[in-house]
Amino acid sequence: MRLVLQMAQESPREADQTAGDRLAEEAKQFLLGLARRTLLDCVAGRPAPEPMEADMPPIVLAPGACFVTLTRHGGLRGCIGRIKPTQPLWRAVIEATAGAALRDPRFPAVHGGELAEITIEMSVLGEAKPLIYASPEELLDQIRLGVDGLLLTLGDRTSTFLPKVWKTIPDKVRFLEQLSLKAGHDRQAWRRGEAVVSAYQTWDFQET
């Protein structure tokens, strides 16, 4: 998927321009429509939609990773996704949408009475690349606040925050501390020598 392979090499402004060209409006609208149909079907207890490949934009057939976020009246209602592109992007969208609606442990399952009030947001992920650093200070210097999503791996535990989380945690140290807590470690776990921090970018879009 060219979007995934090249986003990490571009500046934020270049990514806005060129990634937008690659993930064409047709593909974005297809994925949002697929997510909306999935939301309606899974809440009603019906099987997930099975679109025909001939009807899909080519980019969504390639392996892709994504997160789907559901909001209601501006508040979070569910968010599920995967970091690694293990399946075609369109299938990843179906899986993430159903997960956000029914299996986010922070919320009860979405019910039919909420559907008209829910907005679907989507983040298509670029490749996560490990950052190379010799000290916590070097790590902080490499992180681009507001641009990079971060993936923390320590032992057999991982956690991630999408770039949009910078809006609520606009501080690099706090961002990493909360990422450590999310992984089930103490706040300072990101400072340990065995911790691996990777960065990735996303292309975000939502229903209007």
Side-chain angles (χ1 to χ4, degrees), residues 36 39 43 68-78 97 100-101 109-121 207:
R36 175 57 64 172
L39 179 62
V43 169
V68 172
T69 301
L70 307 180
T71 61
R72 185 185 181 201
H73 302 310
L76 182 64
R77 187 59 180 84
T97 303
V110 172
H111 59 80
E114 299 178 272
L115 291 172
E117 302 172 337
I118 286 178
T119 299
I120 298 173
E121 302 177 8
E207 293 178 319

Side-chain angles (χ1 to χ4, degrees), residues 163-198:
K164 66 176 67 176
V165 177
W166 289 110
K167 295 178 181 178
T168 55
I169 312 177
D171 177 86
K172 294 181 182 181
V173 172
R174 285 186 54 227
F175 198 92
L176 287 163
E177 289 178 346
Q178 293 300 313
L179 198 58
S180 298
L181 293 173
K182 185 179 180 182
H185 296 286
D186 62 87
R187 290 178 180 271
Q188 303 304 316
W190 65 275
R191 296 179 180 271
R192 298 175 190 162
E194 63 269 29
V196 177
V197 179
S198 302

Side-chain angles (χ1 to χ4, degrees), residues 1 4 62-69 78-100 103-104 106 121-128 149-151 158-163 182 200-204:
M1 184 175 177
V4 170
C66 72
F67 275 73
V68 172
T69 301
C79 180
I80 294 288
R82 289 190 177 184
I83 291 292
K84 296 182 179 180
T86 59
Q87 57 188 329
L89 179 57
W90 69 272
R91 286 197 178 276
V93 166
I94 289 176
E95 181 181 286
T97 303
R103 295 186 292 277
D104 188 326
R106 299 168 293 181
E121 302 177 8
M122 200 170 298
S123 297
V124 176
L125 276 61
E127 179 184 2
L150 296 182
L151 174 67
T158 62
S159 62
T160 190
F161 281 147
L162 297 173
K182 185 179 180 182
Y200 60 90
Q201 291 76 54
T202 61
W203 180 250
D204 302 322

Side-chain angles (χ1 to χ4, degrees), residues 2-12 15 19 22 125-129 144 147-148 199-202:
R2 187 165 298 174
L3 171 68
V4 170
L5 294 176
Q6 295 190 8
M7 281 181 65
Q9 301 173 6
E10 300 163 343
S11 70
R22 297 188 193 103
L125 276 61
E127 179 184 2
K129 296 186 176 182
R144 296 178 295 174
V147 176
D148 293 328
Y200 60 90
Q201 291 76 54
T202 61

Side-chain angles (χ1 to χ4, degrees), residues 34-48:
L34 179 62
R36 175 57 64 172
R37 293 198 302 275
T38 300
L39 179 62
L40 296 174
D41 287 343
C42 72
V43 169
R46 297 189 295 265

